[in-house]
């Protein structure tokens, strides 16, 4: 039993390792960006530890710097993270046997890559909620949290040493591309990415970066519609 948990956990670690370099880069850039946006080191540290959502953090920073209303900052962060509602619904059959505090804990640690690595492996499993599934999932999300927090904290405390003319935005884009490109492995995913990218490009004209929120919503809707279309075609 103990050996089964260790084996599954190690398999999860091996699966997530290729994405950890991009995760670390993104985390460091986010840490620097928080300090450069005017947050104190203690505020930035609290944000990265409590929020643990890179896209929501980066979305909120220009709104905070612009003095946007608190409700708009919270709404922008929630919209960007709407995808985790879908993740939670998909993962529910595998972890519903756990107590709600443990499910909340898994929800906090859950990442895009953890979900993407877990579902292709166990999406068609006849039995759900096994010990192997839980520990494989833990193996994918725990290293991601450690790398993100470590690199983000380094970025926070080194942020003052980074010249303002460095293109940190470009580094963040490269890190995100390294994470997202491997996800484009199906037609619904490609359609979702294309829809989100198009809306994000057009949405550059929107104030307070609301184009990003619109891109997230359109990407999710496009992906869901494409998935239904593909399923009907198979039927």
């Amino acid at each position: 039993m103990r050996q089964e948990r260790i084996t599954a956990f190690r398999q999860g670690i091996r699966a997530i390792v290729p994405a950890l370099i991009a995760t670390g880069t993104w985390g460091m850039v986010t840490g620097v960006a928080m300090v450069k946006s005017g947050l104190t080191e203690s505020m930035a540290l609290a944000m990265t530890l409590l929020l643990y959502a890179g896209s929501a953090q980066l979305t909120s920073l220009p709104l905070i710097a612009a003095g946007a209303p608190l409700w708009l900052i919270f709404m922008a962060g929630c919209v960007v993270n709407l995808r985790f509602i879908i993740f939670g619904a998909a993962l529910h059959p595998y972890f519903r046997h756990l107590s709600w505090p443990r499910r909340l804990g898994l929800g906090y640690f859950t990442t895009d890559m953890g979900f993407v690595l877990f579902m292709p492996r166990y999406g068609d499993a006849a039995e759900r909620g096994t010990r192997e599934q839980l520990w494989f999932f833990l193996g994918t999300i725990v290293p991601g949290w450690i790398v993100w927090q470590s690199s983000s904290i380094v970025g926070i405390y080194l942020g003052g040493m980074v010249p303002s003319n460095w293109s940190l935005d470009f580094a963040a884009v490269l890190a995100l591309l390294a994470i997202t490109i491997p996800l484009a492995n199906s037609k619904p995913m490609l359609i979702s990415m294309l829809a989100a990218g198009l809306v994000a490009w057009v949405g550059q004209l929107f104030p307070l970066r609301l184009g990003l929120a619109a891109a997230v919503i359109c990407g999710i809707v496009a992906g869901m519609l494409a998935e239904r279309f593909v399923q009907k075609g198979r039927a």
Side-chain angles (χ1 to χ4, degrees):
M1 184 179 299
R2 181 174 179 272
Q3 186 59 41
E4 180 184 3
R5 293 197 297 265
I6 294 174
T7 300
F9 189 77
R10 287 177 176 173
Q11 289 174 345
I13 293 176
R14 284 196 294 268
I16 196 65
V17 162
L20 293 182
I21 295 178
T23 299
T25 304
W26 190 14
M28 182 174 292
V29 169
T30 302
V32 173
M34 286 190 289
V35 175
K36 290 293 185 181
S37 297
L39 297 181
T40 64
E41 291 179 351
S42 58
M43 292 170 62
L45 184 62
M47 188 179 195
T48 192
L49 290 173
L50 296 176
L51 189 57
Y52 184 43
S55 54
Q57 289 172 241
L58 292 175
T59 299
S60 66
L61 292 179
L63 299 177
I64 294 173
L70 188 61
W71 67 266
L72 181 58
I73 297 173
F74 276 105
M75 181 175 291
C78 289
V79 169
V80 169
N81 282 339
L82 279 176
R83 65 192 186 280
F84 284 96
I85 297 178
I86 300 174
F87 293 173
L91 292 171
H92 178 258
Y94 300 90
F95 306 125
R96 60 186 174 189
H97 63 285
L98 300 175
S99 62
W100 69 264
R102 291 186 177 183
R103 294 200 303 271
L104 286 177
L106 285 178
Y108 166 75
F109 284 100
T110 296
T111 62
D112 300 77
M113 286 306 301
F115 177 80
V116 169
L117 292 171
F118 180 86
M119 291 308 297
R121 186 182 181 94
Y122 296 109
D124 297 326
E127 184 181 359
R128 300 183 178 184
T130 64
R131 187 179 295 106
E132 176 190 344
Q133 293 165 358
L134 172 61
W135 284 91
F136 176 86
F137 189 65
L138 288 172
T140 63
I141 60 178
V142 171
W145 183 87
I146 294 173
V147 170
W148 173 272
Q149 298 297 351
S150 301
S151 59
S152 185
I153 291 171
V154 169
I156 289 170
Y157 287 102
L158 295 182
M161 302 171 58
V162 176
S164 300
N165 59 352
W166 282 22
S167 182
L168 294 175
D169 290 341
F170 184 64
V173 169
L174 292 179
L176 285 172
L177 286 175
I179 293 175
T180 56
I181 287 177
L183 306 183
N185 53 9
S186 66
K187 289 183 179 179
M189 186 65 72
L190 285 171
I191 292 173
S192 177
M193 289 181 173
L194 290 174
L198 178 61
V199 174
W201 180 70
V202 175
Q204 295 179 83
L205 301 175
F206 296 175
L208 300 175
R209 293 198 177 184
L210 293 177
L212 179 59
V216 172
I217 295 175
C218 291
I220 291 174
V221 172
M224 293 175 64
L225 293 176
E227 182 68 28
R228 289 183 181 180
F229 181 79
V230 170
Q231 290 179 351
K232 287 182 180 180
R234 292 173 179 173

